[in-house]
Amino acid sequence: MKLTPNRTARTGQGPLPWLALSVAVLLADFFTKLYFESTYYLGEVRPVTSFFNLVLAHNRGAAFSFLAGHDGWQLYLFSIIALAAAAACLIFIIRQPGKRLFCLALSLIMAGALGNLIDRLLYGYVVDFLDFHLGYWHWPAFNVADIGIVCGAALLILESFLERSDPS
């Protein structure tokens, strides 16, 4: 399989812009969580639209509250995973700062992993506050860090397709 030329070729920029983006997303995550922790009570729901609420929720598990009902060991597991993911993202950003879409994705993932890690270390749970729903069916509440992780993962998938050769 022949690969096309790298569309995200090295532009001469270093990792600093990507790290700055991660810090910006991390700060947005931190301050939104701080706002909700200080102005909402646990479980409080404030409807915004017919399909969206603001709510304060505490998640002791991972995505979709995975392993939330366990004794607390999952805090250590998810913390180790978050540190490993952030470290891997940082290494790849430093090694390939000119691959713009790739580094954008990794910057978002790194910020999200660190944002939720900070919550786990400070509180023992992750603060969630965005609640989308359809009737009585609710998507699990999430936060800015989760948005970073999901958008970063989607961009990595997109980037993997853009790096493949043209079939014609």
Side-chain angles (χ1 to χ4, degrees):
M1 175 168 75
K2 180 182 166 208
L3 295 178
T4 59
N6 187 348
R7 291 188 179 122
T8 55
R10 192 169 193 63
T11 61
Q13 79 180 27
L16 195 56
W18 306 118
L19 301 178
L21 173 62
S22 286
V23 169
V25 172
L26 187 59
L27 288 172
D29 180 64
F30 180 80
F31 285 113
T32 54
K33 290 173 177 176
L34 188 64
Y35 169 78
F36 282 92
E37 278 286 289
S38 64
T39 58
Y40 282 59
Y41 59 85
L42 185 60
E44 179 178 358
V45 177
R46 294 187 191 172
V48 177
T49 69
S50 62
F51 60 88
F52 174 65
N53 301 322
L54 295 173
V55 60
L56 179 60
H58 295 164
N59 182 357
R60 295 187 185 279
F64 307 110
S65 297
F66 177 66
L67 297 178
H70 288 266
D71 297 344
W73 59 266
Q74 71 275 23
L75 170 73
Y76 304 106
L77 174 66
F78 297 142
S79 295
I80 290 167
I81 291 169
L83 281 172
C89 289
L90 180 61
I91 289 167
F92 283 119
I93 289 169
I94 289 170
R95 288 185 178 172
Q96 301 178 20
K99 292 184 72 176
R100 298 190 313 182
L101 188 58
F102 181 68
C103 288
L104 171 61
L106 294 179
S107 296
L108 294 173
I109 292 169
M110 182 168 59
L114 292 174
N116 285 340
L117 173 64
I118 289 169
D119 280 11
R120 290 183 201 290
L121 297 177
L122 288 178
Y123 310 120
Y125 54 81
V126 173
V127 177
D128 291 325
F129 52 86
L130 301 169
D131 173 36
F132 285 89
H133 59 91
L134 181 60
Y136 293 105
W137 183 84
H138 288 254
W139 187 259
F142 58 98
N143 57 45
V144 174
D146 298 332
I147 294 169
I149 293 168
V150 169
C151 289
L155 289 172
L156 278 181
I157 293 167
L158 174 63
E159 194 264 349
S160 75
F161 284 111
L162 294 177
E163 290 294 316
R164 300 208 185 271
S165 64
D166 185 43
S168 54

